[in-house]
Amino acid sequence: MGSRALGLLPWLLALVLALAPEGRLQGPVAVLRVVDGDTVELQGLGPVRLIGIDAPESTYNHRTAGPEEVRLGLEAKAFLARLLQGRKVWVELDAQERDRYRRVLAYLYLEDPRGDWIHGGRRFLQVNLELVRAGWAEPYTVPPNVRYAALYLQAAREARAKGVGMWGGGQASRPGNGKGCDPAYPTVCIPPPPPDLDCGDIPFRGFKVLPPDPHRFDRDGDGVGCEG
């Protein structure tokens, strides 16, 4: 085999291994806001729930297990915000287009030359899958929207085996280790922006705040965040 053919092998292998969306992609659509680790707001569509995955709750509600889940949920939300900040996405629907809350149910795609999905000769990342791969969401299959369920299960097994994201033994959520935690809040673990958080978004009160206080938790400048 000649040197030219050998040089083409990595490209051909990547092409063979590439994934392809099974449905039609619509877009691009602007991302207006990240609501939590598995829900976003898109221009013209409103709230959109990512199909096939479930991230930890980032605020206290009747489904929240406790402070640890909220901490992990905030990190999942921050991961998704970093992925989508200022970007436009392509939307793929499945058999059921809305849930009981009237949210659009979708798979989201970002155009990226490193992506392993190919559509129209271009490469994409699938946002749903990237959250599972990074360990910030787990599979959550609700028929009839089961198009990529097997793919998410395999990605979740690999994320657990690698100990990434929320499968890292909680280390990313513990104060003091610096991983995923903003140093402006040394006694608790709060991820840096984006997204910008308010006191209502976090489970902590009366914690130490150092400059520059990127989330502006210390409104009166006394070094204590979210007092009262």
Side-chain angles (χ1 to χ4, degrees):
M1 185 179 293
S3 58
R4 183 179 178 182
L6 286 172
L8 288 174
L9 274 177
W11 180 84
L12 291 171
L13 182 61
L15 190 62
V16 170
L17 296 177
L19 301 163
E22 295 181 23
R24 182 171 67 93
L25 296 194
Q26 305 174 45
V29 181
V31 178
L32 300 180
R33 184 169 70 98
V34 171
V35 179
D36 58 26
D38 51 36
T39 308
V40 301
E41 186 177 343
L42 299 183
Q43 189 173 44
L45 292 178
V48 175
R49 177 66 163 78
L50 276 62
I51 297 175
I53 68 170
D54 189 43
E57 295 291 327
S58 60
T59 57
Y60 281 108
N61 56 54
H62 68 280
R63 297 186 303 273
T64 305
E68 179 65 12
E69 181 180 2
V70 173
R71 287 194 289 270
L72 293 173
L74 287 171
E75 293 194 36
K77 180 178 179 179
F79 174 85
L80 184 56
R82 288 192 294 271
L83 192 64
L84 299 181
Q85 190 76 19
R87 304 287 300 276
K88 292 185 177 181
V89 295
W90 278 255
V91 178
E92 178 189 2
L93 304 178
D94 207 326
Q96 181 181 337
E97 296 186 3
R98 291 184 182 268
D99 65 10
R100 58 178 177 167
Y101 305 109
R102 303 305 300 161
R103 297 177 299 188
V104 174
L105 301 172
Y107 309 98
L108 302 183
Y109 295 83
L110 283 170
E111 188 171 356
D112 192 305
R114 301 165 299 172
D116 46 12
W117 297 75
I118 291 182
H119 177 76
R122 295 177 292 175
R123 286 192 171 269
F124 292 83
L125 294 173
Q126 191 198 81
V127 176
N128 311 47
L129 180 59
E130 291 305 308
L131 279 159
V132 179
R133 282 175 168 171
W136 292 121
E138 56 186 330
Y140 179 62
T141 303
V142 180
N145 292 351
V146 299
R147 187 170 292 168
Y148 304 115
L151 195 62
Y152 300 154
L153 285 172
Q154 180 58 38
R157 293 190 191 104
E158 294 174 1
R160 284 176 180 266
K162 294 175 183 176
V164 296
M166 61 182 170
W167 311 123
Q171 295 298 322
S173 299
R174 295 178 186 171
N177 71 352
K179 184 180 179 182
C181 308
D182 196 297
Y185 316 109
T187 60
V188 294
C189 185
I190 299 173
D196 186 26
L197 302 174
D198 298 320
C199 288
D201 297 322
I202 63 172
F204 313 112
R205 294 295 179 269
F207 52 89
K208 184 176 182 180
V209 175
L210 302 175
D213 186 16
H215 291 295
R216 302 181 299 282
F217 292 134
D218 181 17
R219 295 290 185 177
D220 58 6
D222 65 352
V224 180
C226 298
E227 297 173 86

